[in-house]
């Protein structure tokens, strides 16, 4: 079995982290008897420098020709002076999300026991472990609905959800909950917002097809609080675009480093996998960035796009073991000797 993967390393730490992480995928492919072909493409600042735009047509074509898209990170100070609609984040990443019609953003967060001292939360709040997955609607809601406008007098946006959009994301979340601990928390603001009333009704309706999944509803303000005082209570959190943007960043604080957090964005065809953190221009080129978020994104890709579930499990386990052996990059260490990007990736590869 040969899988074609679009590789868009992007800017900042993107390229060095990507190169190190692909060695883990090579190793997994070898161990589990499949092969991978990488099709490299430009995105972000790197694409602006070489082709004059953040998402060249040929990059989109390459993504569409592949089974999955693996992204590094985009953006940096060099391109911050450009007009907002030409900058790498918007003209590169947001544009690619749109091109591929990505609608479900999955952001899993785990607090690894071996490094739980990094969490800003007290030990007692982490008892029983933290392992949650935010499923954020990515294609609609207040980010995209019309009317929206801005003039010297007023600025406004519209939070609008249509039933099929909610149905689709709810089904994704229920399917995922079923493969995990079978608990789903749907987060809304239905005591105030009509779009949330529709959201809640639709999620209820979808839940009838998933009697094995335990559903609860929670207001977003309460969810933000529960995330801190009792993060272990969550399994899958299902929510809209804006609430998901905020809650997933809040959840990202729990393990103590962004360098651990992968993400997947699912669409009708190719899915996209990327670390949740940014391009970290301050440490780019030094070989010290944490590759684990990229490596875990590769594991998610094996899981959701390549149907290589065994390889995915092996990568998750290998990451866990290399953390336990304390092969750690600087962001995961309070004291002691930090390992380079390459050394961390090599240690994970060896565990497979
Ligand atoms: C994210 C980011 C983006 C978003 C920004 C950069 C547009 O915050 O991926 O969460 O809000 O979706
Ligand atoms: Mn965000």
């Amino acid at each position: 079995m040969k899988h074609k993967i679009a590789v868009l390393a992007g800017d900042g730490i993107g390229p060095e982290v990507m190169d190190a992480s692909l060695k883990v995928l090579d190793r997994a492919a070898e161990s589990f008897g499949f092969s991978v072909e990488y099709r490299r493409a430009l995105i972000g600042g790197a694409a602006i420098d070489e082709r004059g735009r953040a998402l060249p047509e040929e990059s989109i074509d390459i993504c569409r020709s592949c089974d999955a898209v693996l992204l590094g990170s985009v953006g940096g100070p060099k391109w911050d002076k450009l007009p907002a609609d030409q900058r790498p984040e918007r003209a590169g990443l947001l544009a690619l999300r749109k091109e591929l019609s990505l609608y479900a953003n999955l952001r899993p967060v785990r607090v690894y026991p071996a490094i739980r001292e990094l969490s800003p939360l007290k030990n007692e709040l982490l008892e029983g472990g933290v392992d949650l997955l935010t499923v954020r609607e990515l294609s609609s809601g207040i980010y995209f609905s019309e009317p929206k406008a801005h003039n010297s007098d007023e600025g406004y946006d519209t939070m609008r959800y249509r039933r099929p959009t909610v149905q689709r994301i709810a089904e994704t979340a229920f399917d995922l909950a079923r493969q995990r601990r079978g608990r789903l928390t749907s987060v809304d603001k239905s005591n105030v917002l009509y779009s949330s009333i529709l959201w809640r009704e639709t999620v209820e309706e979808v839940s009838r097809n998933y009697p094995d999944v335990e559903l609860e509803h929670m207001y977003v303000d309460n969810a933000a609080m529960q995330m801190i005082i009792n993060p272990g209570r969550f399994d899958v959190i299902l929510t809209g675009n804006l609430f998901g943007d905020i809650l997933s960043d809040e959840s990202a604080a729990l393990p103590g480093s962004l360098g651990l957090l992968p993400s997947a964005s699912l669409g009708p065809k190719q899915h996209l996998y990327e670390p949740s953190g940014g391009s970290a221009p301050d440490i780019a080129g030094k070989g010290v960035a944490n590759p684990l978020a990229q490596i875990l994104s590769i594991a998610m890709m094996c899981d959701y796009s390549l149907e290589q579930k065994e390889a995915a499990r092996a990568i998750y386990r290998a990451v866990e073991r290399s953390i336990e052996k304390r092969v750690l990059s600087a962001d995961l260490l309070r004291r002691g000797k930090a390992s380079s990007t390459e050394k961390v990736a090599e240690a994970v590869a060896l565990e497979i």
Side-chain angles (χ1 to χ4, degrees), residues 64-344:
R64 289 199 208 286
S65 76
C66 287
D67 303 314
V69 179
L70 194 58
L71 188 90
S73 49
V74 299
K78 185 172 173 198
W79 307 282
D80 279 351
K81 293 162 297 279
L82 289 171
D85 60 347
Q86 291 171 30
R87 279 165 55 173
E89 294 84 350
R90 207 189 270 214
L93 181 55
L94 278 193
L96 184 58
R97 282 182 186 168
K98 210 165 194 169
E99 285 292 338
L100 300 178
S101 305
L102 305 177
Y103 62 84
N105 185 221
L106 279 42
R107 294 187 172 172
V109 165
R110 284 189 61 189
V111 174
Y112 292 89
I115 47 172
R116 91 175 166 186
E117 75 277 2
L118 289 177
S119 174
L121 296 192
K122 283 188 266 189
N123 251 331
E124 65 198 71
L125 296 176
L126 303 170
E127 291 301 333
V130 175
D131 184 356
L132 62 87
L133 171 69
T134 304
V135 178
R136 165 190 175 193
E137 203 292 317
L138 201 61
S139 68
S140 182
I142 198 167
Y143 270 56
F144 298 106
S145 305
E146 298 289 344
K148 57 164 69 238
H150 167 220
N151 58 44
S152 57
D153 246 15
E154 57 177 0
Y156 53 86
D157 301 276
T158 303
M159 192 184 288
R160 183 190 302 261
Y161 266 113
R162 294 185 188 278
R163 190 173 285 272
T165 312
V166 183
Q167 254 159 3
R168 180 174 64 175
I169 190 76
E171 281 163 7
T172 303
F174 275 103
D175 286 337
L176 289 163
R178 194 171 250 177
Q179 296 161 37
R180 291 172 48 103
R181 303 195 301 283
R183 285 182 50 90
L184 182 70
T185 308
S186 174
V187 172
D188 63 37
K189 188 71 186 172
S190 61
N191 48 349
V192 179
L193 304 175
Y194 288 125
S195 55
S196 281
I197 294 177
L198 178 98
W199 180 278
R200 195 175 278 217
E201 284 168 2
T202 311
V203 172
E204 274 294 324
E205 202 177 272
V206 172
S207 79
R208 288 188 207 117
N209 298 327
Y210 297 85
D212 50 322
V213 175
E214 193 186 325
L215 169 68
E216 65 172 346
H217 299 280
M218 196 181 278
Y219 296 137
V220 63
D221 45 356
N222 184 29
M225 184 174 71
Q226 296 297 329
M227 183 88 76
I228 302 300
I229 62 178
N230 192 4
R233 75 187 302 296
F234 293 110
D235 179 13
V236 176
I237 296 175
L238 161 64
T239 191
N241 206 339
L242 181 61
F243 298 159
D245 180 45
I246 299 166
L247 288 178
S248 65
D249 261 31
E250 189 185 354
S251 71
L254 300 173
S257 173
L258 257 181
L260 286 167
L261 303 174
S263 79
S265 298
L266 312 184
K269 292 214 175 81
Q270 294 82 8
H271 306 331
L272 178 142
Y273 302 86
E274 60 176 321
S276 289
S279 61
D282 51 322
I283 55 165
K286 297 185 180 155
V288 298
N290 189 347
L292 293 181
Q294 188 83 62
I295 292 169
L296 291 166
S297 301
I298 288 173
M300 293 183 87
M301 179 176 80
C302 290
D303 201 348
Y304 302 129
S305 284
L306 309 186
E307 284 301 317
Q308 298 290 348
K309 307 266 176 201
E310 296 259 325
R313 268 196 296 276
I315 297 174
Y316 290 128
R317 269 201 309 269
V319 166
E320 207 167 309
R321 274 202 290 264
S322 71
I323 288 176
E324 280 160 10
K325 290 184 178 165
R326 301 198 71 81
V327 185
L328 303 173
S329 50
D331 56 311
L332 300 182
L333 278 171
R334 289 261 173 78
R335 64 189 73 83
K337 191 170 162 359
S339 301
S340 67
T341 306
E342 270 191 19
K343 281 278 177 301
V344 173

